[in-house]
Amino acid sequence: MYTDRINKMTSSELNNLKRLRWTLLAIVGFLTGFIAFCIAILVKKLIKLRFEHTIEMLDEGHIAGGYFYFTGLAVIYIAIATVAVNFIQPAATGSGLPQLKAFLNGVNIPNFLQLDTLAVKVVGVIFSVASGITCGKEGPLVHTGSMIASRTSHLPRVHKLLDDPRAKIFRNDFDRRNFVSSGA
């Protein structure tokens, strides 16, 4: 069906469709970069909060207080990330890379590309990285880009936002997987 639909299009319609696809992918790239920028800023601020007060306490001679503040704030950060992932959206666990590979191979994973998973993933990454545990934000950002791309290709009203009724054409599994792999 997809091939038949594409074969029925004129060359100018195909070119317009390609431009629209690239526009949507540029939006995906911008939004993913913006989220990565926000994550980096918030992680830096949380780390700064944790270290500055600890150094002040150590300078004042409160070694035990500095230690408990430093480790206590790390535990609070981890608790926030843990509660968000375990109780709000369990699909946001881990880096998301194995689930992404499975999705691209045709496995349907519930809630994997939902907006609430995106929000919980971002909160979890911010607090996990700021706590100082051995984890990074690179893998989760791949999952984040995939979620943004999936939502961009399947937005119910993207054709109205772009004032282009042809944007409905991307609402199929083939294009969704292409957008998700591009977002990754």
Side-chain angles (χ1 to χ4, degrees), residues 50 74 78 127-136:
R50 191 169 155 223
I78 288 296
F127 284 101
S128 296
V129 173
S131 71
I133 63 171
T134 307
C135 69

Side-chain angles (χ1 to χ4, degrees), residues 87-126:
F87 297 113
I88 297 174
Q89 186 50 272
T93 58
S95 68
L97 295 178
Q99 295 92 336
L100 179 62
K101 288 178 185 179
F103 174 79
L104 291 175
N105 282 320
V107 177
N108 184 20
I109 302 171
N111 301 321
F112 177 66
L113 297 171
Q114 300 299 319
L115 288 178
D116 57 343
T117 306
L118 174 65
V120 170
K121 176 72 84 172
V122 168
V123 169
V125 166
I126 289 169

